[in-house]
Amino acid sequence: MKFSVSTLCFFCLLLFAAFERSQAQTPTLSSIQNSIATLADNFPQEKIYLQFDKPSYAPGETIWFKAYIMAAADPSTISKTLYVDFITADGRIIKHCINPVLQSGAAGSYDIPLEFKNDFVYVKAYTKWMLNFDSSFLYRKTLHIIQQKPVARKQAVPAIKTDMQFLPEGGYMVNAIECNVAFKAIHYDGTPAHVTGAVFNSKNQQVADIKTVHDGMGAFKLSPDADETYTAKWKDDMGNSYQTKLPAAKSTGIVLKVSIQPTARSFVVERPENAEGNFQKLYIVATMQQHLVYAAGINLSQVQVTGGSIPVSALPSGILQVTLFDSNWVAVAERITFINNDDYSFDPEVGFAELGTEKRKENTLVISTPDSITSNLSVSVTDEGIGTDSSDDIISRLLLSGDLKGNVYHPFYYFQNNSDTLQKQLDLVMLTNGWRGIAWDDVVHNKFPQIKYQNDTGYLSLSGKVFGATEQDLKKGLFILMIIKGSKDTANRVQQAVVDASSNFSNPNIILYDTTKVFYRISGTNEFANSSVVNFDNSLSANHVIEEDTAANAFFADTATENYKRRLAAAQMRNLKLQQGTTLADVTVTTRAKSPSQVMDEKYASPLFSGSDGYQFDVLDDRMANSSMSVLQYLQGKIPGLTITTSAGIGDDGSASYRGGGSPDFFYNETNIDFNYLSTINMNDVAYIKFLRPPFIGSIGGGSNGAVAIYSRKGGDVSSKPSGPGIPYKVIIGYTAQKEFYSPNYGTFDQRNDETDLRTTLYWAPIILTTPSNNTVRLKFYNNDFSRGFRVILEGMSTDGKLTHIEKVIE
C-alpha cells in the first residue's frame, strides 16, 4: 500500500503555466509540489491502535494490550519505543508504560490495584515522534472498571441536553450560491440524537427541512440571501425544543462541492458574480496522508461555475483531502472524502481443532494466514457473556477515526460493506468531523514543523557521556567497564564501551528492562577515574501531561452485561479475600547459617558432585572473573598443581595435567566435555566452578586425576556480596518489565488448580508472527469454571499495511 508515482494522479505542470506569477516571492506549483513532498518524506504522521484483551475490568485484574503503529498507509518504521499512560479521572498518571516496538507493534500490561475505586481509567498511547504534532491525534481510550457496587456520584444536570452543529460544505456559505449544509446532533453523554425540524429566515419563512439520516447526522441545501439570517428550530428524540442560529454567509468567496462516483470524486467549484480577482484563477489539490495525488488549475475568469473529476480507483483506502486555493495560493475551501477500494484487509482463518465449553475443558484454537503475507497478530478469547467493545477496532481506528479530530460513534459500522447507502452515511461523517489537516499557510511558504522530540530510532540501550576527560585522555582510547545488575530474575552482565572523541559512549547490544543498577569504572589513571563523572542516558520520554478530554471518550454501557460483569467482579473479590484469609501465618525457624560453599553446592551440584574436598570458586562474587575471555583463561593459576597450556594462551590443541600426571576430567553442568570445549565457554555464562581432588568416582575409570566441574548461571543469579565502596553506580529506568499471561494447565498438577477459576479472559496472545512458510498457529487453553461460550477476537497487520479484524462467538 505504498504511495508511489505510479499510483498518483498528477496533471502536467504545463497546465499551471498560465496561472503562476513570475515574482520570486510568490509560491508556484513546483514549489508547492516540493513542499508537500518534503512534508510527506520528513514529517510523516504516526497513528496508533490498541487492542485490549476485553472491554472492562475489575480491581485486581490485569489490563493486557497490544499496540499497532502505522504511518500513512504502511506499518510505521519511525519509532522503536511506545509510551502508554494509564490516567485517573483527575488527570493523575498512575502507570507510565514504556514498551519496545517490534514489527510495528508492542505489547504490555497494567495491574489494576485492588484498592482502585474509580469506575473508569483513561488510556493515552503515543510515540515521542507524535509529540511534535497535534496532540489531538494521540491515541485515547476509556476503559470501564467494574466495581462491586456502582460508584456513587452526584449527577449534574447538563445545561444543554442536546447539542447541534451546522457545518457548510467546504467551510462556509456564500450569498446567492446553493450550498450543502451538514449537521450533527449529540446528547450530552456523546450518543447520537435523532432530531427533526426546519430552517427559517428572519421573516420566519421556512427554507429547508431538518431530519436525521444516520446517527444524529444529516444535510440540507440552502441558497443564502444577502443581509439575511437563518435559524434552525428543531426537537430532539426526548421532545425538547431548541433554536440554533446557522453560520453567517459571506458576501464573496468560493463554494466547493464534492460528490461520490464509482471510480472518482466529482467536484464543482462556484464563485459569485462579483468575485474578486483572486477567486477567478484557482488551484485544486488533493492529498492523502500528506502525499500529493491530484492537482489541477481552474479558470473562472469567464464563467462562474466549473467542475472536474479526481480518479480514485488506484488510491489506497483512506481519507482524501481536497483543498481549493486562490490565485495567491491561499487555501479558501476544503473538503474531505473517504475512499474505500476494498484493498485494506486480509482474512485469516480462525477455528477450533478441539472445542470444550464445559468446565475446565481443553481447547485448541487454530489460526491460518494466507501463504502470501507476513503478519503480526494478537488474539483474545473471553467469556462470551461479558460483551464486546463497540467503540472501534483496528480497521476503523487506523483508516478512519485516527485521522479525525471529532468523535465518531461506532466507526467500525462503516466498514461492514461498501454499499451506496453506507458510503453516503460515511460521507456525512466526513462533512461533520475535523480531520488531520495540513497547515497550508506554512507549507506553501516552505515552513515546516519544529521538531522538539527526535524519534526513537533505536531501542533503549545503554549510552551516556563522560565528563572530566581531557583531549589527551580521549586520545588514549578510554573505555568504560560496566557491571549491569538487573532485576532479581536476571544475572549480572559485564559489558564495556569505547568513549569516543566527544566523550560519548554507547553499547547498542544492551537492551534495558525495568530498573537497572549500573556499576561503572573508567579506564585510565586512578586520578582521572576518581575525578570523572558519568551520566547515563537511555533517551526515555518523560511523562508528558496532556489535558484529557474525557467527555470525548464516553463509555456506553449495556445494562444486562454490566450486571453480569458486576456479579463476576463480586465473586472474584470474595475469592481473593478467601485466599488471603486462608494463608498461613509466617513461621520463623532459627538454625545455624550455612557456609557459602554449602550454599553453592546445594544450588548447583548433585550428590555425586557435592562435597568440599577440593577448591570452589563463586564466580558471581569474583569481580575479576569477567575479565577472563574463557574458562581456560580463568582457571590458569587458580588451582595448585593444575597446569593448563594452550597453543596461544587460549584455544584448541591445549592440554591440562594435575601434579605432573594425567589430565583431570572436565564437566559442564555435570556433562563430560572435551578439554578444548572450555575455550568456548564465556565467563558471563558461568556461576560456579569447583575442582574435586582425586579420586573422583563420578569419572569413568575412577578419576585418578580429579575433575573440574563448571556450572552455568541460573535465573535469579546475582552476587551475594555488596559491590563495596569505591565503585560508583547509577540507577537506569528501562522498558517496563514484561509480564507473561497466565493460562492454567488443568492437564498437569499445579497447586493453583485447586482455586476457583473465575477468569473472564481465557487466553491472550499478544505477539503472533506468521510468514508465508509458517502461516499456521495452534494455541491451547482451558475453559474456566462457568463459561459456556467464547468470544474470539483476532486483530493484526501485515507487512504491506493490510489489516484484519475477526470476531467470532463460539457456543
Side-chain angles (χ1 to χ4, degrees):
M1 298 178 70
K2 296 279 186 183
F3 283 97
S4 62
V5 174
S6 61
T7 63
L8 305 186
C9 308
F10 288 105
F11 269 52
C12 179
L13 301 186
L14 295 177
L15 291 174
F16 298 93
F19 303 107
E20 295 185 347
R21 298 187 178 183
S22 59
Q23 288 88 342
Q25 68 272 18
T26 302
T28 65
L29 175 68
S30 297
S31 68
I32 298 300
Q33 181 179 349
N34 291 335
S35 294
I36 295 176
T38 299
L39 188 68
D41 294 340
N42 298 332
F43 305 94
Q45 304 287 294
E46 288 183 309
K47 296 178 285 186
I48 293 174
Y49 167 75
L50 265 61
Q51 178 187 3
F52 296 91
D53 63 303
K54 57 183 180 180
S56 57
Y57 302 85
E61 289 190 317
T62 299
I63 298 173
W64 302 93
F65 64 84
K66 170 66 176 292
Y68 295 93
I69 311 174
M70 289 191 76
D74 298 291
S76 176
T77 58
I78 298 172
S79 300
K80 294 294 186 183
T81 300
L82 173 76
Y83 304 92
V84 181
D85 294 340
F86 291 85
I87 306 166
T88 60
D90 58 1
R92 181 171 55 92
I93 296 177
I94 52 178
K95 180 66 174 179
H96 180 61
C97 298
I98 309 162
N99 305 98
V101 176
L102 174 68
Q103 291 194 11
S104 307
S109 62
Y110 167 56
D111 295 331
I112 307 171
L114 272 173
E115 64 275 11
F116 192 83
K117 300 301 182 183
N118 296 332
D119 53 3
F120 293 103
V121 65
Y122 303 101
V123 184
K124 181 179 66 196
Y126 53 93
T127 65
K128 192 158 48 169
W129 179 252
M130 293 173 68
L131 297 177
N132 293 301
F133 310 105
D134 192 339
S135 63
S136 300
F137 297 106
L138 304 184
Y139 177 87
R140 288 175 171 85
K141 180 77 170 182
T142 299
L143 294 179
H144 191 196
I145 307 302
I146 304 293
Q147 302 289 347
Q148 294 184 67
K149 296 180 179 180
V151 178
R153 61 169 54 85
K154 294 181 179 180
Q155 296 291 336
V157 179
I160 301 177
K161 294 182 178 180
T162 303
D163 180 62
M164 191 169 185
Q165 291 180 304
F166 292 92
L167 305 146
E169 184 176 14
Y172 54 91
M173 295 186 293
V174 178
N175 289 334
I177 299 179
E178 185 180 73
C179 176
N180 293 320
V181 180
F183 62 84
K184 182 178 183 179
I186 58 173
H187 295 299
Y188 71 93
D189 61 357
T191 56
H194 180 78
V195 300
T196 56
V199 178
F200 298 86
N201 61 17
S202 59
K203 303 178 183 64
N204 204 31
Q205 296 171 330
Q206 181 175 334
V207 295
D209 289 321
I210 296 174
K211 186 175 182 180
T212 299
V213 174
H214 173 72
D215 277 353
M217 299 176 292
F220 56 85
K221 299 182 183 298
L222 181 63
S223 297
D225 295 327
D227 301 324
E228 184 61 272
T229 59
Y230 298 91
T231 302
K233 299 178 181 180
W234 52 280
K235 288 185 177 182
D236 63 15
D237 43 15
M238 294 182 291
N240 300 309
S241 298
Y242 303 88
Q243 292 189 17
T244 306
K245 285 190 175 181
L246 269 63
K250 294 184 177 183
S251 59
T252 187
I254 292 292
V255 171
L256 172 65
K257 301 176 186 177
V258 175
S259 59
I260 301 173
Q261 304 300 326
T263 61
R265 290 297 180 268
S266 298
F267 62 86
V268 174
V269 179
E270 186 173 358
R271 66 166 177 84
E273 184 177 358
N274 60 344
E276 300 174 358
N278 60 313
F279 290 128
Q280 297 188 12
K281 295 180 180 180
L282 309 167
Y283 304 94
I284 189 167
V285 170
T287 58
M288 290 193 78
Q289 304 292 344
Q290 302 182 147
H291 290 261
L292 180 65
V293 298
Y294 177 89
I298 297 175
N299 192 339
L300 291 181
S301 60
Q302 303 299 321
V303 295
Q304 291 180 237
V305 59
T306 189
S309 181
I310 303 173
V312 299
S313 57
L315 298 178
S317 296
I319 293 178
L320 178 72
Q321 180 174 335
V322 182
T323 308
L324 199 61
F325 296 87
D326 69 6
S327 58
N328 297 319
W329 282 101
V330 175
V332 293
E334 198 160 53
R335 165 80 145 89
I336 57 173
T337 179
F338 193 86
I339 309 300
N340 188 346
N341 285 326
D342 285 329
D343 59 346
Y344 54 80
S345 65
F346 67 100
D347 298 312
E349 295 181 1
V350 180
F352 281 84
E354 182 181 8
L355 179 62
T357 57
E358 297 178 359
K359 179 180 178 179
R360 301 195 178 189
K361 289 295 184 179
E362 186 177 18
N363 295 268
T364 302
L365 179 67
V366 181
I367 301 170
S368 297
T369 57
D371 59 9
S372 59
I373 67 168
T374 298
S375 68
N376 184 356
L377 308 170
S378 50
V379 65
S380 71
V381 183
T382 60
D383 171 45
E384 186 272 335
I386 66 172
T388 186
D389 184 353
S390 61
S391 59
D392 63 0
D393 59 29
I394 188 172
I395 294 174
S396 63
R397 170 70 192 185
L398 294 179
L399 290 185
L400 177 62
S401 58
D403 284 320
L404 299 175
K405 288 186 178 181
N407 185 43
V408 181
Y409 184 74
H410 290 174
F412 65 89
Y413 165 83
Y414 302 100
F415 294 90
Q416 297 181 96
N417 56 61
N418 202 12
S419 65
D420 291 344
T421 299
L422 212 61
Q423 286 194 65
K424 290 178 181 178
Q425 292 173 345
L426 181 53
D427 204 44
L428 288 174
V429 176
M430 299 291 97
L431 287 166
T432 56
N433 282 276
W435 58 93
R436 185 188 295 267
I438 296 175
W440 287 115
D441 289 344
D442 291 335
V443 172
V444 296
H445 293 98
N446 213 35
K447 297 179 182 178
F448 300 102
Q450 296 295 316
I451 298 303
K452 182 179 179 182
Y453 306 100
Q454 293 299 324
N455 56 309
D456 294 310
T457 56
Y459 295 107
L460 299 186
S461 58
L462 206 56
S463 61
K465 188 178 183 67
V466 176
F467 295 90
T470 65
E471 186 176 350
Q472 289 183 343
D473 291 326
L474 296 172
K475 286 182 178 179
K476 293 178 182 178
L478 299 177
F479 68 90
I480 180 170
L481 179 68
M482 296 169 285
I483 302 175
I484 303 168
K485 184 176 181 180
S487 63
K488 63 180 180 180
D489 294 325
T490 59
N492 290 349
R493 292 174 289 175
V494 177
Q495 296 288 332
Q496 66 181 35
V498 176
V499 181
D500 62 22
S502 300
S503 300
N504 298 312
F505 64 88
S506 177
N507 189 330
N509 297 318
I510 298 297
I511 306 300
L512 300 177
Y513 278 88
D514 209 357
T515 301
T516 303
K517 185 179 289 187
V518 181
F519 297 86
Y520 61 90
R521 173 69 70 183
I522 306 295
S523 68
T525 65
N526 289 333
E527 290 78 10
F528 169 68
N530 292 331
S531 63
S532 61
V533 176
V534 177
N535 279 350
F536 289 91
D537 175 26
N538 58 4
S539 302
L540 276 180
S541 174
N543 292 4
H544 295 271
V545 180
I546 301 170
E547 184 176 351
E548 298 303 311
D549 180 10
T550 55
N553 293 278
F555 179 88
F556 309 112
D558 173 76
T559 303
T561 302
E562 288 301 290
N563 290 335
Y564 176 76
K565 290 188 288 189
R566 186 164 286 117
R567 290 195 301 271
L568 280 176
Q572 287 173 331
M573 187 63 68
R574 288 194 301 269
N575 197 38
L576 286 171
K577 289 181 178 179
L578 179 63
Q579 293 174 27
Q580 293 172 353
T582 57
T583 300
L584 294 177
D586 292 338
V587 177
T588 302
V589 179
T590 304
T591 185
R592 181 178 298 176
K594 297 177 181 179
S595 68
S597 61
Q598 288 177 311
V599 173
M600 297 299 286
D601 249 25
E602 288 182 5
K603 183 172 183 179
Y604 295 98
S606 68
L608 187 63
F609 284 77
S610 64
S612 58
D613 186 17
Y615 300 94
Q616 295 165 284
F617 304 96
D618 184 351
V619 177
L620 293 176
D621 280 334
D622 188 346
R623 296 177 188 164
M624 298 305 297
N626 290 290
S627 63
S628 301
M629 297 181 64
S630 69
V631 171
L632 278 182
Q633 188 181 40
Y634 178 78
L635 287 175
Q636 287 178 336
K638 287 277 188 181
I639 302 171
L642 179 65
T643 302
I644 295 176
T645 60
T646 61
S647 58
I650 296 175
D652 296 334
D653 302 325
S655 63
S657 64
Y658 182 65
R659 299 194 183 281
S663 174
D665 290 314
F666 291 90
F667 296 85
Y668 187 55
N669 292 330
E670 301 187 355
T671 299
N672 192 240
I673 59 173
D674 182 78
F675 166 80
N676 289 310
Y677 182 76
L678 299 179
S679 65
T680 67
I681 301 176
N682 192 307
M683 290 303 296
N684 287 328
D685 300 327
V686 177
Y688 179 45
I689 300 176
K690 67 183 302 185
F691 176 75
L692 299 106
R693 289 190 178 96
F696 175 56
I697 61 174
S699 294
I700 297 175
S704 58
N705 295 301
V708 177
I710 302 105
Y711 295 90
S712 63
R713 296 182 185 227
K714 298 180 179 180
D717 277 346
V718 295
S719 173
S720 61
K721 297 179 181 179
S723 298
I727 301 181
Y729 69 88
K730 295 288 177 67
V731 176
I732 311 297
I733 304 299
Y735 287 118
T736 302
Q738 299 291 298
K739 180 180 177 180
E740 184 179 358
F741 178 80
Y742 170 67
S743 181
N745 184 353
Y746 291 124
T748 62
F749 174 77
D750 191 315
Q751 187 174 0
R752 290 174 292 185
N753 293 351
D754 294 333
E755 300 172 2
T756 304
D757 190 345
L758 297 173
R759 294 172 300 130
T760 52
T761 298
L762 302 172
Y763 195 76
W764 168 251
I767 302 177
I768 303 173
L769 306 177
T770 71
T771 63
S773 59
N774 187 15
N775 65 333
T776 300
V777 179
R778 300 171 69 88
L779 305 171
K780 288 185 176 293
F781 68 92
Y782 286 84
N783 191 16
N784 56 27
D785 288 349
F786 62 90
S787 292
R788 293 296 176 263
F790 307 144
R791 186 183 304 275
V792 180
I793 298 180
L794 175 75
E795 295 192 303
M797 180 166 55
S798 67
T799 52
D800 61 355
K802 292 187 177 181
L803 308 171
T804 188
H805 172 88
I806 295 176
E807 183 171 341
K808 290 186 175 183
V809 175
I810 309 296
E811 295 178 327

